[in-house]
PDB file of all heavy atoms in Angstrom:
ATOM      1  N   ILE P 359     121.195 176.055 151.441  1.00  0.00           N
ATOM      2  CA  ILE P 359     121.640 177.454 151.369  1.00  0.00           C
ATOM      3  C   ILE P 359     121.975 177.819 149.930  1.00  0.00           C
ATOM      4  O   ILE P 359     121.559 178.865 149.410  1.00  0.00           O
ATOM      5  CB  ILE P 359     122.836 177.684 152.321  1.00  0.00           C
ATOM      6  CG1 ILE P 359     122.309 177.657 153.762  1.00  0.00           C
ATOM      7  CG2 ILE P 359     123.569 178.990 151.986  1.00  0.00           C
ATOM      8  CD1 ILE P 359     123.234 178.162 154.808  1.00  0.00           C
ATOM      9  N   GLU P 363     120.182 180.798 147.937  1.00  0.00           N
ATOM     10  CA  GLU P 363     120.973 181.987 147.630  1.00  0.00           C
ATOM     11  C   GLU P 363     121.074 182.250 146.126  1.00  0.00           C
ATOM     12  O   GLU P 363     121.063 183.402 145.703  1.00  0.00           O
ATOM     13  CB  GLU P 363     122.374 181.875 148.241  1.00  0.00           C
ATOM     14  CG  GLU P 363     122.385 181.896 149.774  1.00  0.00           C
ATOM     15  CD  GLU P 363     121.928 183.233 150.354  1.00  0.00           C
ATOM     16  OE1 GLU P 363     121.866 184.231 149.628  1.00  0.00           O
ATOM     17  OE2 GLU P 363     121.624 183.256 151.565  1.00  0.00           O
ATOM     18  N   ARG P 388     121.996 203.283 152.917  1.00  0.00           N
ATOM     19  CA  ARG P 388     122.952 202.263 153.351  1.00  0.00           C
ATOM     20  C   ARG P 388     124.400 202.698 153.089  1.00  0.00           C
ATOM     21  O   ARG P 388     125.235 201.894 152.672  1.00  0.00           O
ATOM     22  CB  ARG P 388     122.666 200.957 152.615  1.00  0.00           C
ATOM     23  CG  ARG P 388     121.241 200.484 152.820  1.00  0.00           C
ATOM     24  CD  ARG P 388     120.948 199.194 152.080  1.00  0.00           C
ATOM     25  NE  ARG P 388     121.516 198.043 152.777  1.00  0.00           N
ATOM     26  CZ  ARG P 388     121.459 196.797 152.296  1.00  0.00           C
ATOM     27  NH1 ARG P 388     120.899 196.565 151.145  1.00  0.00           N
ATOM     28  NH2 ARG P 388     121.977 195.805 152.976  1.00  0.00           N
ATOM     29  N   TYR P 391     127.066 200.806 155.287  1.00  0.00           N
ATOM     30  CA  TYR P 391     127.241 199.445 154.755  1.00  0.00           C
ATOM     31  C   TYR P 391     128.076 199.493 153.467  1.00  0.00           C
ATOM     32  O   TYR P 391     129.034 198.737 153.303  1.00  0.00           O
ATOM     33  CB  TYR P 391     125.861 198.829 154.496  1.00  0.00           C
ATOM     34  CG  TYR P 391     125.889 197.551 153.685  1.00  0.00           C
ATOM     35  CD1 TYR P 391     126.057 196.322 154.312  1.00  0.00           C
ATOM     36  CD2 TYR P 391     125.745 197.575 152.290  1.00  0.00           C
ATOM     37  CE1 TYR P 391     126.090 195.144 153.569  1.00  0.00           C
ATOM     38  CE2 TYR P 391     125.785 196.408 151.546  1.00  0.00           C
ATOM     39  CZ  TYR P 391     125.959 195.198 152.185  1.00  0.00           C
ATOM     40  OH  TYR P 391     126.000 194.042 151.441  1.00  0.00           O
ATOM     41  N   GLN P 395     131.751 197.697 153.035  1.00  0.00           N
ATOM     42  CA  GLN P 395     131.833 196.574 152.095  1.00  0.00           C
ATOM     43  C   GLN P 395     132.724 196.917 150.903  1.00  0.00           C
ATOM     44  O   GLN P 395     133.399 196.041 150.361  1.00  0.00           O
ATOM     45  CB  GLN P 395     130.428 196.161 151.634  1.00  0.00           C
ATOM     46  CG  GLN P 395     129.550 195.618 152.756  1.00  0.00           C
ATOM     47  CD  GLN P 395     130.172 194.438 153.487  1.00  0.00           C
ATOM     48  OE1 GLN P 395     130.854 193.607 152.897  1.00  0.00           O
ATOM     49  NE2 GLN P 395     129.967 194.374 154.807  1.00  0.00           N
ATOM     50  N   ALA P 420     126.307 191.078 147.386  1.00  0.00           N
ATOM     51  CA  ALA P 420     126.438 189.678 147.814  1.00  0.00           C
ATOM     52  C   ALA P 420     126.899 188.864 146.600  1.00  0.00           C
ATOM     53  O   ALA P 420     126.298 188.951 145.540  1.00  0.00           O
ATOM     54  CB  ALA P 420     125.115 189.143 148.349  1.00  0.00           C
ATOM     55  N   MET P 421     127.970 188.087 146.785  1.00  0.00           N
ATOM     56  CA  MET P 421     128.672 187.550 145.620  1.00  0.00           C
ATOM     57  C   MET P 421     128.719 186.024 145.557  1.00  0.00           C
ATOM     58  O   MET P 421     128.821 185.338 146.570  1.00  0.00           O
ATOM     59  CB  MET P 421     130.118 188.066 145.630  1.00  0.00           C
ATOM     60  CG  MET P 421     130.229 189.595 145.725  1.00  0.00           C
ATOM     61  SD  MET P 421     131.948 190.161 145.804  1.00  0.00           S
ATOM     62  CE  MET P 421     132.513 189.389 147.307  1.00  0.00           C
ATOM     63  N   THR P 424     126.943 181.328 146.916  1.00  0.00           N
ATOM     64  CA  THR P 424     126.212 181.403 148.189  1.00  0.00           C
ATOM     65  C   THR P 424     126.232 182.817 148.769  1.00  0.00           C
ATOM     66  O   THR P 424     126.073 183.013 149.964  1.00  0.00           O
ATOM     67  CB  THR P 424     126.751 180.375 149.205  1.00  0.00           C
ATOM     68  OG1 THR P 424     128.163 180.511 149.288  1.00  0.00           O
ATOM     69  CG2 THR P 424     126.403 178.945 148.784  1.00  0.00           C
ATOM     70  N   GLN P 425     126.429 183.806 147.872  1.00  0.00           N
ATOM     71  CA  GLN P 425     126.148 185.212 148.154  1.00  0.00           C
ATOM     72  C   GLN P 425     126.826 185.757 149.414  1.00  0.00           C
ATOM     73  O   GLN P 425     126.164 186.228 150.349  1.00  0.00           O
ATOM     74  CB  GLN P 425     124.619 185.424 148.207  1.00  0.00           C
ATOM     75  CG  GLN P 425     123.931 185.055 146.886  1.00  0.00           C
ATOM     76  CD  GLN P 425     124.119 186.115 145.802  1.00  0.00           C
ATOM     77  OE1 GLN P 425     123.463 187.139 145.816  1.00  0.00           O
ATOM     78  NE2 GLN P 425     125.038 185.872 144.870  1.00  0.00           N
ATOM     79  N   PHE P 426     128.147 185.716 149.382  1.00  0.00           N
ATOM     80  CA  PHE P 426     128.920 186.315 150.477  1.00  0.00           C
ATOM     81  C   PHE P 426     129.097 187.814 150.230  1.00  0.00           C
ATOM     82  O   PHE P 426     129.491 188.219 149.134  1.00  0.00           O
ATOM     83  CB  PHE P 426     130.321 185.686 150.540  1.00  0.00           C
ATOM     84  CG  PHE P 426     130.411 184.430 151.353  1.00  0.00           C
ATOM     85  CD1 PHE P 426     129.399 183.473 151.328  1.00  0.00           C
ATOM     86  CD2 PHE P 426     131.520 184.189 152.158  1.00  0.00           C
ATOM     87  CE1 PHE P 426     129.498 182.306 152.081  1.00  0.00           C
ATOM     88  CE2 PHE P 426     131.630 183.027 152.917  1.00  0.00           C
ATOM     89  CZ  PHE P 426     130.624 182.082 152.878  1.00  0.00           C
ATOM     90  N   ILE P 427     128.856 188.619 151.247  1.00  0.00           N
ATOM     91  CA  ILE P 427     129.232 190.024 151.150  1.00  0.00           C
ATOM     92  C   ILE P 427     130.745 190.117 151.441  1.00  0.00           C
ATOM     93  O   ILE P 427     131.309 189.203 152.059  1.00  0.00           O
ATOM     94  CB  ILE P 427     128.395 190.915 152.094  1.00  0.00           C
ATOM     95  CG1 ILE P 427     128.555 190.526 153.556  1.00  0.00           C
ATOM     96  CG2 ILE P 427     126.918 190.868 151.701  1.00  0.00           C
ATOM     97  CD1 ILE P 427     127.849 191.469 154.544  1.00  0.00           C
ATOM     98  N   PRO P 428     131.409 191.174 150.980  1.00  0.00           N
ATOM     99  CA  PRO P 428     132.881 191.191 151.082  1.00  0.00           C
ATOM    100  C   PRO P 428     133.448 190.939 152.480  1.00  0.00           C
ATOM    101  O   PRO P 428     134.427 190.195 152.610  1.00  0.00           O
ATOM    102  CB  PRO P 428     133.239 192.595 150.571  1.00  0.00           C
ATOM    103  CG  PRO P 428     132.187 192.861 149.539  1.00  0.00           C
ATOM    104  CD  PRO P 428     130.921 192.292 150.130  1.00  0.00           C
ATOM    105  N   THR P 429     132.845 191.512 153.530  1.00  0.00           N
ATOM    106  CA  THR P 429     133.437 191.294 154.860  1.00  0.00           C
ATOM    107  C   THR P 429     133.281 189.838 155.305  1.00  0.00           C
ATOM    108  O   THR P 429     134.170 189.297 155.979  1.00  0.00           O
ATOM    109  CB  THR P 429     132.809 192.232 155.921  1.00  0.00           C
ATOM    110  OG1 THR P 429     131.388 192.142 155.832  1.00  0.00           O
ATOM    111  CG2 THR P 429     133.236 193.674 155.705  1.00  0.00           C
ATOM    112  N   THR P 430     132.180 189.199 154.916  1.00  0.00           N
ATOM    113  CA  THR P 430     132.004 187.775 155.222  1.00  0.00           C
ATOM    114  C   THR P 430     133.045 186.969 154.460  1.00  0.00           C
ATOM    115  O   THR P 430     133.665 186.042 154.992  1.00  0.00           O
ATOM    116  CB  THR P 430     130.587 187.305 154.817  1.00  0.00           C
ATOM    117  OG1 THR P 430     129.618 188.127 155.442  1.00  0.00           O
ATOM    118  CG2 THR P 430     130.344 185.862 155.230  1.00  0.00           C
ATOM    119  N   TYR P 431     133.226 187.337 153.210  1.00  0.00           N
ATOM    120  CA  TYR P 431     134.222 186.663 152.356  1.00  0.00           C
ATOM    121  C   TYR P 431     135.606 186.758 152.992  1.00  0.00           C
ATOM    122  O   TYR P 431     136.318 185.765 153.122  1.00  0.00           O
ATOM    123  CB  TYR P 431     134.193 187.320 150.976  1.00  0.00           C
ATOM    124  CG  TYR P 431     135.189 186.809 149.977  1.00  0.00           C
ATOM    125  CD1 TYR P 431     134.796 185.975 148.939  1.00  0.00           C
ATOM    126  CD2 TYR P 431     136.536 187.192 150.044  1.00  0.00           C
ATOM    127  CE1 TYR P 431     135.716 185.512 148.001  1.00  0.00           C
ATOM    128  CE2 TYR P 431     137.450 186.730 149.120  1.00  0.00           C
ATOM    129  CZ  TYR P 431     137.045 185.903 148.095  1.00  0.00           C
ATOM    130  OH  TYR P 431     137.956 185.459 147.175  1.00  0.00           O
ATOM    131  N   TYR P 434     135.673 184.541 156.208  1.00  0.00           N
ATOM    132  CA  TYR P 434     135.330 183.111 156.236  1.00  0.00           C
ATOM    133  C   TYR P 434     135.529 182.340 154.941  1.00  0.00           C
ATOM    134  O   TYR P 434     135.431 181.120 154.946  1.00  0.00           O
ATOM    135  CB  TYR P 434     133.864 182.932 156.676  1.00  0.00           C
ATOM    136  CG  TYR P 434     133.548 183.644 157.954  1.00  0.00           C
ATOM    137  CD1 TYR P 434     132.670 184.728 157.985  1.00  0.00           C
ATOM    138  CD2 TYR P 434     134.149 183.246 159.153  1.00  0.00           C
ATOM    139  CE1 TYR P 434     132.397 185.396 159.162  1.00  0.00           C
ATOM    140  CE2 TYR P 434     133.877 183.914 160.337  1.00  0.00           C
ATOM    141  CZ  TYR P 434     132.996 184.995 160.331  1.00  0.00           C
ATOM    142  OH  TYR P 434     132.738 185.645 161.494  1.00  0.00           O
ATOM    143  N   TYR P 460     131.649 179.212 157.328  1.00  0.00           N
ATOM    144  CA  TYR P 460     130.886 180.311 157.940  1.00  0.00           C
ATOM    145  C   TYR P 460     129.836 179.768 158.903  1.00  0.00           C
ATOM    146  O   TYR P 460     129.663 180.279 160.022  1.00  0.00           O
ATOM    147  CB  TYR P 460     130.242 181.166 156.835  1.00  0.00           C
ATOM    148  CG  TYR P 460     129.532 182.416 157.327  1.00  0.00           C
ATOM    149  CD1 TYR P 460     129.916 183.037 158.515  1.00  0.00           C
ATOM    150  CD2 TYR P 460     128.489 182.973 156.608  1.00  0.00           C
ATOM    151  CE1 TYR P 460     129.269 184.173 158.962  1.00  0.00           C
ATOM    152  CE2 TYR P 460     127.839 184.112 157.047  1.00  0.00           C
ATOM    153  CZ  TYR P 460     128.225 184.702 158.229  1.00  0.00           C
ATOM    154  OH  TYR P 460     127.593 185.832 158.675  1.00  0.00           O
ATOM    155  N   LEU P 544     120.554 181.705 160.957  1.00  0.00           N
ATOM    156  CA  LEU P 544     120.151 183.119 161.054  1.00  0.00           C
ATOM    157  C   LEU P 544     121.333 184.081 160.956  1.00  0.00           C
ATOM    158  O   LEU P 544     121.159 185.255 160.622  1.00  0.00           O
ATOM    159  CB  LEU P 544     119.389 183.374 162.360  1.00  0.00           C
ATOM    160  CG  LEU P 544     117.924 182.937 162.376  1.00  0.00           C
ATOM    161  CD1 LEU P 544     117.366 183.041 163.791  1.00  0.00           C
ATOM    162  CD2 LEU P 544     117.085 183.792 161.423  1.00  0.00           C
ATOM    163  N   LYS P 545     122.548 183.604 161.274  1.00  0.00           N
ATOM    164  CA  LYS P 545     123.731 184.469 161.112  1.00  0.00           C
ATOM    165  C   LYS P 545     123.971 184.732 159.631  1.00  0.00           C
ATOM    166  O   LYS P 545     124.509 185.762 159.241  1.00  0.00           O
ATOM    167  CB  LYS P 545     124.976 183.808 161.731  1.00  0.00           C
ATOM    168  CG  LYS P 545     124.870 183.536 163.209  1.00  0.00           C
ATOM    169  CD  LYS P 545     125.513 184.659 164.021  1.00  0.00           C
ATOM    170  CE  LYS P 545     125.207 184.532 165.501  1.00  0.00           C
ATOM    171  NZ  LYS P 545     125.709 183.275 166.088  1.00  0.00           N
ATOM    172  N   TYR P 546     123.596 183.751 158.833  1.00  0.00           N
ATOM    173  CA  TYR P 546     123.780 183.864 157.380  1.00  0.00           C
ATOM    174  C   TYR P 546     122.843 184.911 156.798  1.00  0.00           C
ATOM    175  O   TYR P 546     123.201 185.688 155.907  1.00  0.00           O
ATOM    176  CB  TYR P 546     123.488 182.497 156.742  1.00  0.00           C
ATOM    177  CG  TYR P 546     124.275 182.225 155.502  1.00  0.00           C
ATOM    178  CD1 TYR P 546     125.439 181.468 155.543  1.00  0.00           C
ATOM    179  CD2 TYR P 546     123.879 182.745 154.278  1.00  0.00           C
ATOM    180  CE1 TYR P 546     126.176 181.225 154.401  1.00  0.00           C
ATOM    181  CE2 TYR P 546     124.609 182.505 153.133  1.00  0.00           C
ATOM    182  CZ  TYR P 546     125.755 181.753 153.198  1.00  0.00           C
ATOM    183  OH  TYR P 546     126.486 181.530 152.063  1.00  0.00           O
ATOM    184  N   ASN P 547     121.620 184.910 157.309  1.00  0.00           N
ATOM    185  CA  ASN P 547     120.594 185.870 156.867  1.00  0.00           C
ATOM    186  C   ASN P 547     119.580 185.930 158.000  1.00  0.00           C
ATOM    187  O   ASN P 547     118.986 184.912 158.355  1.00  0.00           O
ATOM    188  CB  ASN P 547     119.942 185.361 155.572  1.00  0.00           C
ATOM    189  CG  ASN P 547     118.822 186.265 155.094  1.00  0.00           C
ATOM    190  OD1 ASN P 547     118.091 186.871 155.894  1.00  0.00           O
ATOM    191  ND2 ASN P 547     118.649 186.361 153.795  1.00  0.00           N
ATOM    192  N   ARG P 548     119.384 187.104 158.566  1.00  0.00           N
ATOM    193  CA  ARG P 548     118.668 187.137 159.839  1.00  0.00           C
ATOM    194  C   ARG P 548     117.141 187.115 159.721  1.00  0.00           C
ATOM    195  O   ARG P 548     116.449 187.555 160.638  1.00  0.00           O
ATOM    196  CB  ARG P 548     119.160 188.287 160.720  1.00  0.00           C
ATOM    197  CG  ARG P 548     119.046 189.620 160.073  1.00  0.00           C
ATOM    198  CD  ARG P 548     119.463 190.746 161.007  1.00  0.00           C
ATOM    199  NE  ARG P 548     119.564 191.946 160.200  1.00  0.00           N
ATOM    200  CZ  ARG P 548     120.684 192.610 159.976  1.00  0.00           C
ATOM    201  NH1 ARG P 548     121.794 192.239 160.548  1.00  0.00           N
ATOM    202  NH2 ARG P 548     120.687 193.663 159.197  1.00  0.00           N
ATOM    203  N   TYR P 552     113.685 182.958 156.104  1.00  0.00           N
ATOM    204  CA  TYR P 552     114.833 182.375 155.405  1.00  0.00           C
ATOM    205  C   TYR P 552     115.346 181.139 156.142  1.00  0.00           C
ATOM    206  O   TYR P 552     115.543 180.077 155.545  1.00  0.00           O
ATOM    207  CB  TYR P 552     115.945 183.427 155.280  1.00  0.00           C
ATOM    208  CG  TYR P 552     117.238 182.891 154.708  1.00  0.00           C
ATOM    209  CD1 TYR P 552     117.438 182.825 153.335  1.00  0.00           C
ATOM    210  CD2 TYR P 552     118.262 182.438 155.540  1.00  0.00           C
ATOM    211  CE1 TYR P 552     118.619 182.321 152.804  1.00  0.00           C
ATOM    212  CE2 TYR P 552     119.442 181.927 155.024  1.00  0.00           C
ATOM    213  CZ  TYR P 552     119.620 181.879 153.655  1.00  0.00           C
ATOM    214  OH  TYR P 552     120.787 181.374 153.140  1.00  0.00           O
TER     215      TYR P 552
HETATM  216  C1  LIG T  78     124.391 188.975 155.002  1.00  0.00           C
HETATM  217  C2  LIG T  78     125.706 188.312 155.391  1.00  0.00           C
HETATM  218  C3  LIG T  78     125.836 188.304 156.896  1.00  0.00           C
HETATM  219  C4  LIG T  78     125.652 189.717 157.461  1.00  0.00           C
HETATM  220  C5  LIG T  78     124.329 190.296 156.986  1.00  0.00           C
HETATM  221  C6  LIG T  78     124.099 191.732 157.454  1.00  0.00           C
HETATM  222  C7  LIG T  78     126.691 186.530 154.025  1.00  0.00           C
HETATM  223  C8  LIG T  78     126.595 185.114 153.557  1.00  0.00           C
HETATM  224  N1  LIG T  78     125.734 186.943 154.860  1.00  0.00           N
HETATM  225  O1  LIG T  78     124.361 189.104 153.621  1.00  0.00           O
HETATM  226  O2  LIG T  78     127.108 187.835 157.233  1.00  0.00           O
HETATM  227  O3  LIG T  78     125.680 189.689 158.867  1.00  0.00           O
HETATM  228  O4  LIG T  78     124.304 190.264 155.560  1.00  0.00           O
HETATM  229  O5  LIG T  78     124.940 192.620 156.820  1.00  0.00           O
HETATM  230  O6  LIG T  78     127.603 187.228 153.648  1.00  0.00           O
END
Side-chain angles (χ1 to χ4, degrees):
I359 288 193
E363 293 294 345
R388 303 179 77 184
Y391 168 87
Q395 296 304 325
M421 306 178 299
T424 51
Q425 300 283 282
F426 273 39
I427 60 174
T429 50
T430 305
Y431 177 105
Y434 308 113
Y460 186 27
L544 281 171
K545 299 264 170 61
Y546 211 98
N547 177 326
R548 57 176 169 245
Y552 174 86

